[in-house]
Amino acid sequence: MSAALQLYEQDQSDILDFDALPATAWSRVRQQYAAEYLSHSARAVSFVGFNVNHPPLSDRRVRRALAMAVDRSILTQYVTGGGEQPAFGFVPPMPSYPGVVPEWAGWPTERRLEEARRLYQEAGYSPERPLEVEIRYNTSDNHRQMALAVAAMWKQNLGVRASIVNQEFKVFLDARTRKADTEAFRAGWIGDFQDPVNFLDILQSANGQNDTGYADPAYDALLERAAAEPESERRLALLAEAEALMLEQQPVMPIYFYVSRRLVKPWVRGWQDNLLDRHETRDF
């Protein structure tokens, strides 16, 4: 039993965030405390980043094949299991933002895998010459389970030989920042405010959070145009255009949009779910 859950069960804490629990305990705890369980969408995305300047992931065909070979519904149902929404776009659902979903996301599974295999083979890989790639993740049982599941799907659907490498958080971040010896890596982004630019900006070429190395003048220009656009609807359209351009080049592989999951004691008053997931104690 985790220390956080023990404190909650002993009424020494009134709120328990599911992030304090191993994923293997989520289903049991949710059922056991069904009346105290609260869940809602959050402005955050989980994804795999690709180092676009490091072979073999410098090949867009390889990145696209890897993205198409992953079944996000299976990952969210059996690996996370907390009600997360499978993600094909990078920006979580937001009011007034049209959002972007690649056309292939709606294809039947076999058609999607057929195209993934075609791209894989076109890039020069085959059962005789399988792609070898490394997935890095920071220390966490939950992250490890996700990395293993993604690697298994790449193996089953394409024949990829993926190795997973665990690193402590500081070492992991340093390796991502340096980029030189990083290929694929686990990542997530939680927006500071409710606007798509808060997500799209981190893939701008000069952004310090851009660990993929993605740099496209057309993408940067669209973000600049959006920043100077005073009309809201047109601004959001420019941001959607930028997101579509970026996803076409696939420097990231979105996996799911987060949900916030908590247990809240029945005597806590004034709790209000919200997309920003901010809760002021003065409201309780």
Side-chain angles (χ1 to χ4, degrees), residues 193-252:
F193 51 93
Q194 192 170 294
D195 192 289
V197 76
N198 197 211
F199 290 81
L200 299 177
D201 264 355
I202 69 168
L203 291 170
Q204 191 267 348
S205 59
N207 192 294
Q209 299 287 346
N210 184 1
D211 294 334
T212 69
Y214 174 64
D216 186 325
Y219 180 79
D220 291 352
L222 284 166
L223 294 184
E224 290 174 7
R225 287 174 59 193
E229 175 57 57
E231 201 280 312
S232 178
E233 185 174 345
R234 178 58 184 158
R235 173 182 173 273
L236 292 176
L238 287 168
L239 292 176
E241 187 177 345
E243 184 179 7
L245 174 64
M246 178 273 293
L247 290 172
E248 181 64 26
Q249 298 174 52
Q250 209 80 62
V252 295

Side-chain angles (χ1 to χ4, degrees), residues 70-86:
V70 169
D71 190 323
R72 292 146 177 83
S73 295
I74 289 178
L75 294 179
T76 53
Q77 182 174 358
Y78 297 106
V79 179
T80 58
E84 295 82 358
Q85 178 183 343

Side-chain angles (χ1 to χ4, degrees), residues 56 59 62 117 119-127 129-132:
D59 191 326
V62 172
R117 292 172 187 134
L119 291 168
Y120 183 75
Q121 292 170 6
E122 187 179 283
Y125 299 99
S126 65
R129 184 178 179 269
L131 170 70
E132 296 186 3

Side-chain angles (χ1 to χ4, degrees), residues 4 10 17 74 77-78 83-84 96 99 105 107 125 136 142 155 162 170 172 199 231 238 247 252 280 282:
Q10 294 174 350
D17 194 314
I74 289 178
Q77 182 174 358
Y78 297 106
E84 295 82 358
S96 302
W107 292 355
Y125 299 99
R136 296 195 185 196
N142 299 341
K155 172 68 173 177
K170 184 176 180 180
F172 172 71
F199 290 81
E231 201 280 312
L238 287 168
L247 290 172
V252 295
E280 303 290 343
R282 65 186 178 188

